[in-house]
Amino acid sequence: MTGRAAVVAGLGGWLPPVRVTNDDLAVQLDTTDEWITTRTGIRQRFVVPPGLSTSGIAVEAGARALASAGRSSVGLLVLATSTPDHPCPATAPEVASRLGLGEIPAFDVAAVCTGFVYALAGASSMISAGIADSALVIGADTFSTILNPEDRTTRAIFGDGAGAVALRAGTADEPGALLGFDLGSDGSQADMITVPGGGSEHRSRGVVEADDLYFTMQGRSVFRNAVTRMSESSRRLAHRIGWPVDTVDRLVAHQANVRILSAVGAELGLPDDRLVVNLDRVGNTVAASIPLALVDGVHAGEITPGDRVLLCGFGGGLTWGAAALEFPRLSVEPLPGLPAKSLSTHAN
Ligand code: COA
């Protein structure tokens, strides 16, 4: 007998309309297209115009995932974001309401760039436990709203975007069934990726400096930890579900830096052509990064039905995680504003 499992039934993504190229950044900051491309692999990113926030882009991606699944309702909404519309309340209930999903349970998950994997694990578990029969899992972030406009390191990397999957209850032997998760955290390194101010710890001291409201990261340490944590988490999960790592057809890792992706592939012994890479087109979109890479990978013909797909993420917290599925047949709209992806954009 095969157990109840959450099955991926729909996929969608959305990018805001303002495209920012490396050359655009070089006009405002002491940087060059050559530096950004060589050190990160990123060529452009998209940012929200004034008045558009995380809820707005989450609604767009959620609607596309629902359409992809052929559904107009779900029993649960989980939104992964670290740039909620407000510190309180969560943004998920508003997104559910704007999608016309009624009075369903809806909550946010804040695990920065690992947020989508954590949210997927939460929704999958609630479906497996019988708490919900279907779910919409959205990763959406608008990091452009929390970056220091003068910080060339962070502005070169981050972009805004939203991606989503629709889940339904099914069985573990179906294509699209989520086969397992590996999750972890290390709060002793919380300072490595942080917005120092704006929360209760900061406010309790009574001093709020404007600069403390900007996102900061220790780039080199983040780089090293991202490689180690994503490789270890992927390897642990593959072992647990009985996949020899070299049978993974596609690794969809958090799109942070093309050199990080290549290093994770090398650690796992996976050649570059098994890595899905779309950060050159969208930058690091935080919680949206994995579902946006899935959308682009499907459209490029890199991810096909039956493929063994391993998802892995790493982010602030520190947090990390991995998820596995055999990819189902899905009908997915391309990302708006992006020409078809060339198959030559693999890590190199
Ligand atoms: N343009 C030009 N120079 C830049 C720059 C930019 N956009 N960003 C940083 N630099 C400079 C630095 O100021 C430094 O100058 P200095 O030597 O005069 O002090 C120099 O480049 C080297 O900086 P370093 O941080 O050592 O470079 P790096 O090769 O590690 O690349 C990152 C920097 C941020 C691209 C890289 O560390 C990285 O990608 N880290 C992971 C970031 C990430 O993925 N974050 C999200 C995690 S989920």
Side-chain angles (χ1 to χ4, degrees):
M1 205 175 85
T2 309
R4 179 177 164 110
V7 176
V8 173
L11 171 68
W14 199 77
L15 296 166
V18 184
R19 186 169 79 110
V20 180
T21 65
N22 292 349
D23 284 335
D24 294 334
L25 286 182
V27 172
Q28 303 163 27
L29 298 163
D30 182 13
T31 190
T32 60
D33 172 48
E34 203 267 335
W35 193 96
I36 300 171
T37 306
T38 316
R39 303 310 293 162
T40 71
I42 296 166
R43 296 180 183 278
Q44 62 178 24
R45 69 289 294 141
F46 293 81
V47 301
V48 288
L52 183 59
S53 60
T54 296
S55 60
I57 66 174
V59 166
E60 295 287 350
R64 281 165 174 76
L66 288 171
S68 162
R71 307 183 68 104
S72 55
S73 66
V74 283
L76 167 71
L77 187 146
V78 187
L79 173 66
T81 187
S82 297
T83 45
D85 280 9
H86 309 282
C88 166
T91 304
E94 182 178 338
V95 173
S97 174
R98 285 167 61 181
L99 283 167
L101 297 175
E103 297 179 348
I104 60 169
F107 59 91
D108 289 4
V109 168
V112 202
C113 299
T114 320
F116 184 77
V117 179
Y118 266 61
L120 199 60
S124 167
S125 313
M126 288 174 75
I127 287 176
S128 294
I131 297 169
D133 285 331
S134 59
L136 189 58
V137 179
I138 307 176
D141 269 303
T142 50
F143 259 47
S144 68
T145 63
I146 60 166
L147 299 183
N148 181 339
E150 291 168 9
D151 183 351
R152 62 183 178 176
T153 309
T154 53
R155 284 200 58 207
I157 291 176
F158 292 97
D160 302 337
V165 296
L167 302 178
R168 63 169 172 80
T171 54
D173 59 356
E174 287 185 67
L178 291 162
L179 301 174
F181 291 90
D182 178 81
L183 303 172
S185 76
D186 177 6
S188 72
Q189 303 201 70
D191 288 348
M192 204 183 287
I193 296 171
T194 186
V195 177
S200 60
E201 187 268 338
H202 193 245
R203 286 169 188 268
S204 71
R205 285 187 274 109
V207 189
V208 179
E209 300 287 346
D211 275 4
D212 287 340
L213 301 178
Y214 290 132
F215 174 87
T216 64
M217 71 176 178
Q218 296 162 24
R220 281 192 177 189
S221 310
V222 170
F223 192 109
R224 278 195 302 275
N225 273 275
V227 174
T228 313
R229 296 305 192 176
M230 284 199 283
S231 332
E232 288 176 352
S233 190
S234 300
R235 194 177 288 115
R236 263 195 308 271
L237 177 60
H239 178 73
R240 197 178 307 144
I241 63 172
W243 285 3
V245 175
D246 62 3
T247 67
V248 170
D249 296 301
R250 295 292 171 204
L251 182 72
V252 184
H254 168 54
Q255 305 283 305
N257 181 319
V258 77
R259 295 185 293 133
I260 293 177
L261 299 182
S262 266
V264 172
E267 285 283 325
L268 294 172
L270 294 175
D272 279 353
D273 64 4
R274 299 222 208 145
L275 313 179
V276 173
V277 179
N278 83 332
L279 55 76
D280 53 311
R281 298 149 60 78
V282 300
N284 177 346
T285 55
V286 193
S289 147
I290 289 174
L292 287 178
L294 286 173
V295 173
D296 250 355
V298 168
H299 271 280
E302 295 173 347
I303 302 174
T304 52
D307 280 353
R308 285 187 165 184
V309 176
L310 203 57
L311 316 178
C312 67
F314 168 83
L318 300 177
T319 53
W320 55 86
L325 72 160
E326 276 186 22
F327 213 75
R329 186 169 297 283
L330 297 176
S331 157
V332 185
E333 269 185 54
L335 296 176
L338 277 185
K341 182 180 174 185
S342 145
L343 282 171
S344 64
T345 52
H346 290 300
N348 51 36

